[in-house]
Amino acid sequence: MTIGPQTAPWIIFLAILLYGVVHSWLASLGVKAWARRQYGELAKRLYRFAYNIFAVLTLLPVLALPALLPDKQLYSVPMPLALFLLAIQLLAVGAVGLGLLQTGLWSFLGLQQLSSRREISADDQLVVTGLYRWVRHPLYTAGLVFLWATPVMTCNLLALYAGFSAYLILGAVVEERKLLAVFGEAYTHYQERTPMLIPRLPIRRSTQP
């Protein structure tokens, strides 16, 4: 069976959908609780690290699909606008790094848990400062900006980015439920004053003389 350029984007989108379903399920509180019941202290120390390794290894074939399958270019942004978009992507990468540092990079990677007697995660403390002052999920916001600021777009990349965008948005919704379960009323107040993904534009109010 020959895969044509019209079929390839659907294969990529379905692959991302499967990736998102599996990893969202593995990141759920229910699966984590089951692992702790089954494996006790070992699960507390290894779950986050093992989850990250599994996430990276299963992501690699998904990322390879756009290059392996037939493709068609949709547009290419000319210079110097392409340089401007690349600069935006670099800023997005920097925002991801800053966000990870704010919530605990080693804990996010699962390395801190390996040497701890208890499971340490970003959920231990509600971070509402820095980037988290502007949006509740700055890592997801930066990820979306990085995807859609690409200066070259093809059919396969469009499917890849659309799939990852859906995954990030749905992931934010799922994470909201987990954070509400952990922080309760404190997170509800945080939701009320801070948008999920898109920062609020500052509005200057005119003053009457």
Side-chain angles (χ1 to χ4, degrees):
M1 179 180 176
T2 302
I3 299 175
Q6 295 181 339
T7 306
W10 291 105
I11 294 176
I12 294 170
F13 188 83
L14 290 175
I16 299 171
L17 179 63
L18 178 61
Y19 176 88
V21 169
V22 171
H23 289 80
S24 295
W25 176 69
L26 290 175
S28 66
L29 294 176
V31 174
K32 290 180 180 180
W34 175 85
R36 292 166 191 165
R37 291 195 300 268
Q38 295 295 318
Y39 303 103
E41 187 69 24
L42 182 64
K44 291 182 179 181
R45 293 192 178 191
L46 293 180
Y47 194 91
R48 166 65 77 168
F49 183 73
Y51 172 86
N52 288 336
I53 294 296
F54 179 76
V56 171
L57 292 179
T58 52
L59 180 62
L60 293 178
V62 176
L63 295 178
L65 286 177
L68 297 176
L69 297 176
D71 202 358
K72 179 181 179 181
Q73 182 171 299
L74 295 176
Y75 64 79
S76 178
V77 177
M79 302 292 268
L81 183 56
L83 289 178
F84 175 72
L85 293 177
L86 289 173
I88 291 178
Q89 287 186 307
L90 286 176
L91 289 175
V93 172
V96 170
L98 180 59
L100 290 176
L101 289 176
Q102 282 190 259
T103 54
L105 176 60
W106 302 120
S107 177
F108 177 84
L109 295 176
L111 297 177
Q112 189 171 356
Q113 292 89 321
L114 293 177
S115 59
S116 175
R117 291 187 175 276
R118 68 183 186 91
E119 184 181 15
I120 303 174
S121 70
D123 294 342
D124 286 343
Q125 182 178 357
L126 180 59
V127 179
V128 298
T129 58
L131 296 178
Y132 292 84
R133 176 186 174 188
W134 304 103
V135 288
R136 301 197 298 272
H137 302 279
L139 302 184
Y140 296 163
T141 298
L144 291 170
V145 170
F146 179 87
L147 292 177
W148 296 108
T150 182
V152 178
M153 184 64 69
T154 68
C155 291
N156 287 355
L157 287 179
L158 179 61
L160 184 74
Y161 294 169
F164 275 130
S165 297
Y167 173 59
L168 291 175
I169 293 171
L170 292 176
V173 173
V174 171
E175 189 172 342
E176 292 274 291
R177 297 176 181 175
K178 292 164 55 179
L179 293 171
L180 279 171
V182 173
F183 295 110
E185 188 175 349
Y187 197 79
T188 300
H189 293 326
Y190 180 50
Q191 286 179 311
E192 293 173 352
R193 66 178 184 269
T194 309
M196 178 184 285
L197 293 170
I198 302 176
R200 294 192 183 99
L201 295 177
I203 300 176
R204 296 183 62 182
R205 297 181 180 179
S206 59
T207 56
Q208 295 294 333

